[in-house]
Amino acid sequence: MNHVSEQLTAYHHGELTAPDAQRVTEHLAQCTACRAEFEAIQQSASLLAQLPLQTAPASLWRAVEQGLPQPKPHLKQSWQFTPRLAFAAAACVVVLVSSIWIYQRFTRPWWEVTQLAGTPRIGTQAIQAGERGGKFTPGDWLQTDADSSALVRVGEIGFVKVEPNTEMQLVTAQATEHRLAMKRGKLHAFIFAPPKQFYVNTPSATAVDLGCSYDLEVDDAGQSILRVTTGWVAFELNGVESFVPAAAMCITRPGFGPGTPYFESAAETFQQALAQFDTSSNGSEARFQALTNILAEARKQDALTLWHLLARTQGDERGRVYDRFTALVTTPPHLTRAGILQGNRAMIDGLWDLLGLDSANWWRIWKGPVPSAEK
């Protein structure tokens, strides 16, 4: 694999051409070494951005003047532009310009949009071929037709590739919250940021980034399909949560909210039964049969799906799910069947740690409040 280390700084600053930026984005999704190097660059830039901008007090300039050599009385006072003075002046200019540039990059309330193909539009403004830096500000709509696509720089935390026939609105562009509202279409998100900084509202749920790359597609009926490539994404709506790791997917439907996540390698019959379960009413024969098929088809790694079902069932249904879960995963004595059936949240959360998924850090962060999608 050819690494892209020499391009990471330019990539971070948005100085690459659209094709090169897209190539680096795709490489970072696969290469852990380059991704770690890029995260270090981002962390350094973030620290610089946090340095306070101060105005030098008048007393400082007076102290500098007093420290300068004083002209002798019998000599005419004059300035001599020495190489040392020239270097000092140039250094001051560089520091000043760099401080202004960093401040503007990290506080600007808009995102850059670069044309990849065709003629994407921000409102009525067309982004022409080869043009970069189109301003995408909160309230604006970005649209692509059947022949166009675009690359959106999400502040300083990542990129979103916008596929053809997509319509989305920028809702929030702040240092701690970046939010899109997706009406229809498809995007590829590649985010380097702490959990819960990048959100995508869809007609049926909100996708919450937990440090990852993923694909999100919304059809004309408002149904959303999420596929995670690296890291984790959460789908959330009105307290219902679905946690989706790499190699897994989740479907949300208007009127039903976040569906139950599953790994893409699951059997087709398993996926079909899960879709039937998510859309069937409580107590119906269809729901009972769907759950029967899910439990019969479940593999050990499908414990991810069964864990979510524990929070979406009760009574005999939850007991059936728990029994199948414990047949696939060894559980400690303190996580009792009685406690799970009673809906003990601490015990259900305790089962999460048994899934063998790398999720401890973001799981602790997720326990805090999720910013509202009502913007």
Side-chain angles (χ1 to χ4, degrees):
M1 179 183 293
N2 295 323
H3 296 291
V4 294
S5 299
E6 69 283 357
Q7 295 181 293
L8 291 179
T9 300
Y11 176 77
H12 172 76
H13 295 322
E15 296 170 350
L16 297 179
T17 63
D20 286 344
Q22 181 179 351
R23 182 176 62 83
V24 173
T25 297
E26 294 171 351
H27 177 84
L28 289 175
Q30 305 174 20
C31 179
T32 55
C34 288
R35 191 159 62 245
E37 186 174 346
F38 182 65
E39 289 173 351
I41 292 173
Q42 287 198 307
Q43 291 173 0
S44 298
S46 179
L47 289 174
L48 285 173
Q50 296 173 25
L51 294 176
L53 297 178
Q54 300 288 348
T55 301
S59 59
L60 175 63
W61 298 115
R62 287 195 296 270
V64 172
E65 291 175 353
Q66 292 172 3
L68 293 174
Q70 299 299 315
K72 296 181 179 181
H74 62 279
L75 294 178
K76 183 178 180 180
Q77 183 175 353
S78 63
W79 286 97
Q80 294 183 359
F81 197 72
T82 64
R84 180 178 294 180
L85 181 60
F87 177 80
C92 289
V93 171
V94 170
V95 170
L96 177 61
V97 172
S98 298
S99 298
I100 295 173
W101 182 87
I102 291 172
Y103 177 78
Q104 290 176 338
R105 293 284 294 189
F106 280 83
T107 59
R108 63 188 184 193
W110 52 272
W111 297 353
E112 283 185 353
V113 179
T114 301
Q115 180 263 13
L116 293 179
T119 309
R121 294 179 177 275
I122 300 176
T124 59
Q125 177 189 0
I127 304 175
Q128 303 298 331
E131 183 180 349
R132 59 181 299 275
K135 289 187 177 182
F136 192 24
T137 60
D140 288 344
W141 285 87
L142 173 62
Q143 296 179 320
T144 57
D145 58 23
D147 301 314
S148 61
S149 60
L151 187 69
V152 179
R153 185 183 183 93
V154 182
E156 295 297 322
I157 68 169
F159 294 86
V160 168
K161 181 183 177 184
V162 184
E163 294 288 0
N165 295 319
T166 298
E167 187 175 1
M168 63 176 61
Q169 184 183 40
L170 178 54
V171 179
T172 307
Q174 299 175 352
T176 58
E177 182 180 339
H178 306 74
R179 189 182 295 267
L180 288 168
M182 194 170 177
K183 184 177 180 180
R184 62 181 177 90
K186 184 176 182 179
L187 61 77
H188 307 278
F190 187 69
I191 305 297
F192 288 106
K196 299 165 71 170
Q197 287 199 10
F198 178 63
Y199 304 81
V200 181
N201 300 341
T202 75
S204 50
T206 295
V208 186
D209 169 77
L210 302 173
C212 61
S213 59
Y214 65 89
D215 297 341
L216 180 60
E217 187 171 2
V218 179
D219 65 20
D220 291 336
Q223 175 175 285
S224 305
I225 301 177
L226 169 73
R227 291 181 171 88
V228 180
T229 307
T230 61
W232 288 79
V233 179
F235 254 147
E236 192 274 341
L237 183 69
N238 298 329
V240 179
E241 303 160 343
S242 293
F243 301 107
V244 190
M249 62 185 293
C250 185
I251 300 175
T252 71
R253 303 169 179 87
F256 295 98
T260 311
Y262 58 92
F263 285 103
E264 292 192 69
S265 60
E268 183 65 28
T269 50
F270 181 90
Q271 297 183 32
Q272 292 173 353
L274 196 58
Q276 185 178 21
F277 178 88
D278 285 342
T279 56
S280 297
S281 57
N282 291 333
S284 66
E285 179 62 28
R287 180 181 171 100
F288 178 87
Q289 188 58 52
L291 184 59
T292 299
N293 294 338
I294 291 169
L295 300 179
E297 293 277 358
R299 310 159 297 167
K300 183 174 182 178
Q301 69 185 111
D302 295 324
L304 168 74
T305 300
L306 301 186
W307 181 87
H308 282 85
L309 289 177
L310 287 173
R312 303 176 187 207
T313 54
Q314 55 187 349
D316 291 341
E317 279 190 345
R318 182 176 293 167
R320 295 174 64 197
V321 174
Y322 176 81
D323 291 342
R324 182 56 176 157
F325 184 97
T326 55
L328 299 171
V329 179
T330 302
T331 57
H334 69 279
L335 301 178
T336 66
R337 188 178 194 275
I340 298 298
L341 292 184
Q342 291 172 5
N344 185 307
R345 192 66 235 186
M347 286 192 179
I348 294 177
D349 288 349
L351 294 178
W352 177 265
D353 295 330
L354 306 177
L355 298 180
L357 301 170
D358 183 16
S359 58
N361 290 333
W362 69 257
W363 179 252
R364 286 194 294 270
I365 294 174
W366 179 264
K367 289 302 181 179
V370 179
S372 172
E374 299 299 327
K375 296 287 182 178

